[in-house]
């Protein structure tokens, strides 16, 4: 049987640095990179949740990890220059919207100055490196229109978190035009935007899926604030496949240097909070959804009613598109938590099996990064 090759096998044997590697998306990305044969390094300032996917997957023993504050330019510079990475995926951030209301300065300094520091180190880096700067779909100035936001639309935001992500994109743009635009440079950079990612191992506060799984694991009813709010749900592996494919293509095609790309689900994956909880509660064997959740009027902070992305640019440049159908998205997410809470299985092996299953679905579907 012919060996499966994904992302052109570009990460095998390469040093890959992931900032924010102890977080939800960072831990999934590190696990995938390990399976791709990469030599994986990470920088983060803490273990952000308890439970922690980083801990549950045993990643500290499978990669080289540094505890450091992304806002500490001198330390970050020393670490990056000591590692000499071939690839950098910058995910380190304050990722919680609700926390931005109580900790606005930390949110801005982490999301804006953290991104600045990574770019500043790379500006002086004298070896070849491909860097993907990850922000969020909330970087866009959300006017709640029904159309998907394109990479050329205005950035901004009505809340501190969104503003910090918009500012990070402006810093990326200014650094590119000031320092990385010249031909023949060592460092190639691009930014990536995705949002409303779900999947196993997210235990962040004030997120609907983690809140449900924590409550359902002990038989409690979860309270939800905005049942009719529409979100473009996608499994964590979907944008990660975009980041990895963007890294591969930028490594091989420097014409993509300085570009930004959206990675979002298909339009038909826009479902309300209530709809996705109905589906997930069934997989947790609730006979009646009323036993799984109830609506509360306690709205703690501003939440956008609709925000979706137009991903035509990624489709045009490297034929990226989502892999999972909506049913499999629900299954992957619910089953991971059920395995953790009820079956108490080997979560690193289980996570790798979901990644392998995802790769198999993509291969069968002739998705571009499997060719």
């Amino acid at each position: 049987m012919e060996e499966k090759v994904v992302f052109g096998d570009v990460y095998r044997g390469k040093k890959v640095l992931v900032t924010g590697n102890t977080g939800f998306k960072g831990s999934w990305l590190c696990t995938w990179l390990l399976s791709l044969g990469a030599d994986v390094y990470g920088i983060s300032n803490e273990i952000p949740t308890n439970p922690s996917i980083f801990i549950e997957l045993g990643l500290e023993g499978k990669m080289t990890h540094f505890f450091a504050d992304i806002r500490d330019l001198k330390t970050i510079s020393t670490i990056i220059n000591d590692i000499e990475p071939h690839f950098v995926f910058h995910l380190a951030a304050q990722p919680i919207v609700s926390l931005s209301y109580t900790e606005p300065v930390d949110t801005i300094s982490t999301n804006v100055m953290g991104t600045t520091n990574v770019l500043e180190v790379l500006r002086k880096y004298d070896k070849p490196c491909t860097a993907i700067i990850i922000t969020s779909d909330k970087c866009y100035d959300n006017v709640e229109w029904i159309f998907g936001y394109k990479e050329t639309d205005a950035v901004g935001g009505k809340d501190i978190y969104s503003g910090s992500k918009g500012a990070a994109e402006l810093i990326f743009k200014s650094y590119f035009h000031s320092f990385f635009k010249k031909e023949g440079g060592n460092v190639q950079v691009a930014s990536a935007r995705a949002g409303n990612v779900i999947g196993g191992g997210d235990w962040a506060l004030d997120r609907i899926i983690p809140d449900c799984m924590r409550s359902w694991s002990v038989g409690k009813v979860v309270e939800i604030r905005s049942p009719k709010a529409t979100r473009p749900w996608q499994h964590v592996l979907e944008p990660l496949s975009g980041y990895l494919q963007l890294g591969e293509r930028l490594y091989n095609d420097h014409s993509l240097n300085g570009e930004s790309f959206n990675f979002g689900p298909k339009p038909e994956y826009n479902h309300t909070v209530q709809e996705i909880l109905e589906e997930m509660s069934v997989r947790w064997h609730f006979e009646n959804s009323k036993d799984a959740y109830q609506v509360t009027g306690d709205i703690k902070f501003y939440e956008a009613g609709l925000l979706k992305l137009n991903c035509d640019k990624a489709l045009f440049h490297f034929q990226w598109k989502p892999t999972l159908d909506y049913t499999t998205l629900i299954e992957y997410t619910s089953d991971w938590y059920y395995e953790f809470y009820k079956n108490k299985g080997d979560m690193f092996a289980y996570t790798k099996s979901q990644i392998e299953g995802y790769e198999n679905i993509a291969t069968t579907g002739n998705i571009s990064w499997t060719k």
Side-chain angles (χ1 to χ4, degrees):
M1 182 177 178
E2 186 177 349
E3 184 179 357
K4 178 176 58 180
V5 175
V6 296
F7 307 113
D9 212 25
V10 72
Y11 296 104
R12 185 171 303 280
K14 300 292 199 314
K15 293 181 180 180
V16 183
L17 171 63
V18 179
T19 72
N21 65 296
T22 57
F24 166 54
K25 286 172 71 175
S27 293
W28 273 91
L29 179 56
C30 289
T31 302
W32 201 347
L33 285 164
L34 288 168
S35 75
L36 295 174
D39 187 6
V40 185
Y41 297 79
I43 299 175
S44 65
N45 68 332
E46 63 180 357
I47 306 294
T49 62
N50 184 22
S52 158
I53 183 172
F54 181 75
I55 298 296
E56 296 302 331
L57 301 189
L59 288 175
E60 191 165 13
K62 297 177 174 67
M63 59 180 290
T64 304
H65 172 250
F66 298 90
F67 279 111
D69 192 327
I70 201 68
R71 295 169 293 186
D72 182 346
L73 176 58
K74 183 177 179 180
T75 300
I76 298 304
S77 178
T78 298
I79 292 172
I80 292 178
N81 282 289
D82 285 348
I83 293 171
E84 298 184 346
H86 301 97
F87 290 90
V88 173
F89 290 90
H90 173 54
L91 286 79
Q94 193 296 93
I96 309 301
V97 174
S98 61
L99 191 58
S100 72
Y101 284 86
T102 57
E103 301 290 346
V105 174
D106 279 351
T107 299
I108 293 169
S109 62
T110 300
N111 295 353
V112 181
M113 286 309 302
T115 299
T116 303
N117 285 348
V118 171
L119 291 167
E120 176 64 11
V121 175
L122 293 174
R123 175 174 77 88
K124 301 176 181 179
Y125 194 67
D126 61 358
K127 295 177 176 59
C129 184
T130 301
I132 308 300
I133 307 299
I134 290 105
T135 61
S136 168
D137 62 348
K138 292 180 177 62
C139 71
Y140 291 107
D141 185 12
N142 186 8
V143 294
E144 302 209 16
W145 58 27
I146 62 172
F147 312 105
Y149 289 88
K150 296 181 291 185
E151 291 84 352
T152 52
D153 286 325
V155 297
K158 296 182 178 69
D159 60 275
I160 293 294
Y161 176 80
S162 300
S164 73
K165 291 298 186 178
E169 283 286 351
L170 291 175
I171 291 296
F172 165 79
K173 180 180 179 180
S174 62
Y175 257 80
F176 168 70
H177 284 282
S178 297
F179 307 115
F180 299 115
K181 191 174 183 179
K182 60 184 178 182
E183 292 186 13
N186 286 315
V187 178
Q188 310 297 310
V189 295
S191 77
R193 305 158 181 178
N196 266 51
V197 173
I198 63 174
D202 185 3
W203 281 289
L205 296 175
D206 291 322
R207 283 185 179 162
I208 184 62
I209 302 304
D211 286 350
C212 286
M213 298 307 161
R214 274 189 290 261
S215 296
W216 294 352
S217 70
V218 292
K220 289 185 178 180
V221 176
V222 70
E223 292 186 344
I224 62 173
R225 296 182 296 268
S226 306
K228 300 303 181 184
T230 301
R231 297 288 182 264
W233 308 99
Q234 62 180 330
H235 191 270
V236 62
L237 290 174
E238 300 280 42
L240 292 188
S241 73
Y243 304 163
L244 289 167
Q245 187 174 16
L246 176 55
E248 172 211 346
R249 295 306 170 93
L250 182 59
Y251 177 84
N252 291 310
D253 180 4
H254 292 182
S255 70
L256 297 179
N257 189 28
E259 297 290 338
S260 298
F261 291 90
N262 291 335
F263 298 102
K266 297 176 181 178
E268 58 264 32
Y269 291 4
N270 292 337
H271 290 262
T272 66
V273 169
Q274 185 170 358
E275 287 170 338
I276 198 167
L277 294 193
E278 293 277 358
E279 297 278 354
M280 287 195 170
S281 65
V282 170
R283 297 196 67 81
W284 273 71
H285 310 298
F286 284 97
E287 294 183 3
N288 191 324
S289 62
K290 292 181 179 179
D291 297 327
Y293 67 88
Q294 62 185 20
V295 179
T296 176
D298 179 21
I299 299 180
K300 301 177 183 177
F301 48 85
Y302 168 81
E303 292 182 290
L306 176 66
L307 197 163
K308 62 181 180 179
L309 298 176
N310 180 311
C311 301
D312 289 348
K313 184 177 178 180
L315 178 64
F316 174 80
H317 280 282
F318 39 87
Q319 296 76 55
W320 180 87
K321 59 183 178 180
T323 296
L324 299 179
D325 59 36
Y326 182 68
T327 300
T328 310
L329 157 69
I330 299 298
E331 290 175 355
Y332 266 43
T333 303
S334 297
D335 291 354
W336 195 102
Y337 285 106
Y338 201 87
E339 179 72 13
F340 174 77
Y341 282 114
K342 300 300 183 180
N343 296 335
K344 303 186 184 303
D346 178 341
M347 297 315 299
F348 181 75
Y350 192 81
T351 302
K352 280 192 66 177
S353 73
Q354 286 201 334
I355 292 171
E356 290 167 2
Y358 180 80
E359 290 176 344
N360 290 336
I361 294 171
T363 300
T364 300
N366 207 28
I367 300 295
S368 58
W369 49 266
T370 66
K371 299 176 183 177

